[in-house]
């Protein structure tokens, strides 16, 4: 991929699974989901809000400074995850010359809906509206909070946003412009208008069984996507000696847009991204693929067909986490990467409990993570022990 070995030396996250690595791993080990019913529109719908421990951290930051009271939850989530990441890698005690790339699919959904509602009612809006809802808010405020001196980048590449941030950080480090980068995603989509958009697509779960999101289940008759919220930030370094895992493959791919979701029946964009990521890798060396698998009928099937096209008859172990913590849009790939690192650290494969148990392997060394979003824009990365 490049001459420099780029390693992940730490990370931080806030999600429905928690905010502490041990807490998050324990959440993965049980067979329960972390969905709750909340009323956003006229009826109560499934969603995956932050855990109580994660919400406590987020609320403390929100009330920490007057300026933070005017920030969207997506920004506060990113600050929380980034502080945890910095502490995890002990970057608090090194120079502040590192880059930041934290993206979001939807951005400041809570504030945008609030300000727009106020405008419809009064035909006026707050002077805070424009600065508080711009997408650049996320990385800029994280940089301000951490007092960094490197580049601060925000972007939206729908649901593959976080993996594209990781890829971008890899390229920055490989170029020699910086030796360290903080990269990830943040999403706070639990709002009435965002939920209404998903329900309009006819993909939202109305299930009442034990697992309301059946991600990866190709036998399901109805789509079962559920929204979740959270943020994750990773510390990437050039040739570290204390890496949890190394990023040894990056890939990306797009499709010709033919419909709103822009994903073909065999997910051509994902085939492209996986092939690029597998450059210089034997496909048989991949132990696990963490699928994007949002829980939709067509999306799950398309990704499976793409994986079968790449790996043929030698499929690696397949898993995902949206059955447990929901679809967090722009940060979903980052939460999948977190899952990958935890499985590598603990040498333990997490299988969705409602699917057939897959044959275990002795050691998990190499994992591919997929993400894809509207616009037919896919990303894949490979992390290696």
């Amino acid at each position: 991929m490049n001459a420099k070995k780029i390693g992940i030396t730490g990370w931080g996250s806030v999600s429905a699974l928690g905010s502490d690595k041990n807490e998050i791993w324990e959440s993965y080990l049980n067979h329960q989901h972390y969905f709750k019913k909340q009323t956003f529109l006229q009826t109560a719908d499934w969603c995956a809000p932050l855990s109580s421990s994660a919400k406590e951290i987020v609320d403390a930051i929100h009330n920490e400074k007057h300026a933070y009271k005017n920030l969207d939850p997506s920004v506060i989530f990113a600050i929380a995850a980034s502080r945890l990441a910095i502490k995890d890698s002990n970057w608090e005690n090194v120079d502040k010359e590192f880059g930041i790339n934290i993206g979001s699919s939807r951005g400041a959904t809570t504030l945008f809906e609030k300000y727009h509602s106020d405008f419809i009612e009064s035909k006026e809006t707050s002077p805070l509206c424009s600065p508080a809802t711009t997408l650049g808010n996320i990385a800029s405020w994280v940089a301000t909070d951490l007092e960094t001196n490197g580049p601060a980048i925000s972007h939206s590449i729908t649901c593959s946003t976080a993996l594209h941030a990781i890829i971008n950080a890899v390229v920055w480090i490989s170029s020699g412009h910086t030796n360290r980068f903080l990269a990830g995603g943040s999403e706070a989509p639990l709002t009435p208008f965002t939920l209404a958009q998903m329900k309009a697509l006819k993909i939202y779960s109305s299930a009442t069984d034990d697992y309301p999101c059946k991600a990866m289940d190709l036998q399901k008759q109805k789509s079962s996507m559920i929204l979740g919220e959270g943020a994750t930030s990773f510390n990437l370094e050039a040739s570290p000696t204390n890496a949890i895992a190394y990023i040894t493959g990056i890939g990306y791919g797009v499709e010709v847009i033919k419909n709103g979701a822009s994903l073909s029946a065999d997910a051509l964009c994902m085939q492209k991204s996986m092939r690029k990521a597998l450059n210089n890798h034997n496909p048989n060396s991949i132990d696990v693929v963490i699928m994007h698998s949002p829980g939709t009928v067509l999306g799950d099937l398309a990704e499976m067909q793409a994986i079968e096209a790449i790996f043929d008859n030698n499929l690696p172990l397949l898993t995902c986490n949206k059955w447990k913590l929901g679809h967090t849009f722009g940060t979903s790939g980052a939460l999948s990467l977190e899952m990958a690192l935890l499985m590598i650290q603990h040498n333990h494969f997490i299988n969705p409990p409602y699917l057939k148990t897959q044959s275990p392997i002795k050691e998990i060394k190499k994992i591919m993570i997929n993400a894809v979003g509207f616009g037919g824009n896919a990303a894949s990365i490979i992390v290696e022990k």
Side-chain angles (χ1 to χ4, degrees), residues 53-74:
S53 65
K55 191 173 187 307
E56 185 176 336
I57 292 172
V58 165
D59 287 346
I61 294 173
H62 182 74
N63 295 316
E64 191 176 293
K65 299 178 182 179
H66 177 73
Y68 288 179
K69 293 181 182 296
N70 298 316
L71 298 179
D72 187 78
S74 61

Side-chain angles (χ1 to χ4, degrees), residues 102-117:
I102 301 176
S104 178
S105 176
R106 303 281 166 162
T109 49
T110 298
L111 287 185
F112 188 89
E113 290 179 34
K114 174 188 180 299
Y115 286 132
H116 187 258
S117 177

Side-chain angles (χ1 to χ4, degrees), residues 61-112:
I61 294 173
H62 182 74
N63 295 316
E64 191 176 293
K65 299 178 182 179
H66 177 73
Y68 288 179
K69 293 181 182 296
N70 298 316
L71 298 179
D72 187 78
S74 61
V75 180
I76 302 295
F77 291 0
I79 291 174
S82 298
R83 286 185 182 182
L84 291 169
I86 294 301
K87 185 176 181 180
D88 193 43
S89 290
N90 198 31
W91 280 13
E92 298 167 307
N93 299 319
V94 296
D95 67 75
K96 302 291 186 176
E97 296 290 338
F98 60 86
I100 294 171
N101 190 170
I102 301 176
S104 178
S105 176
R106 303 281 166 162
T109 49
T110 298
L111 287 185
F112 188 89

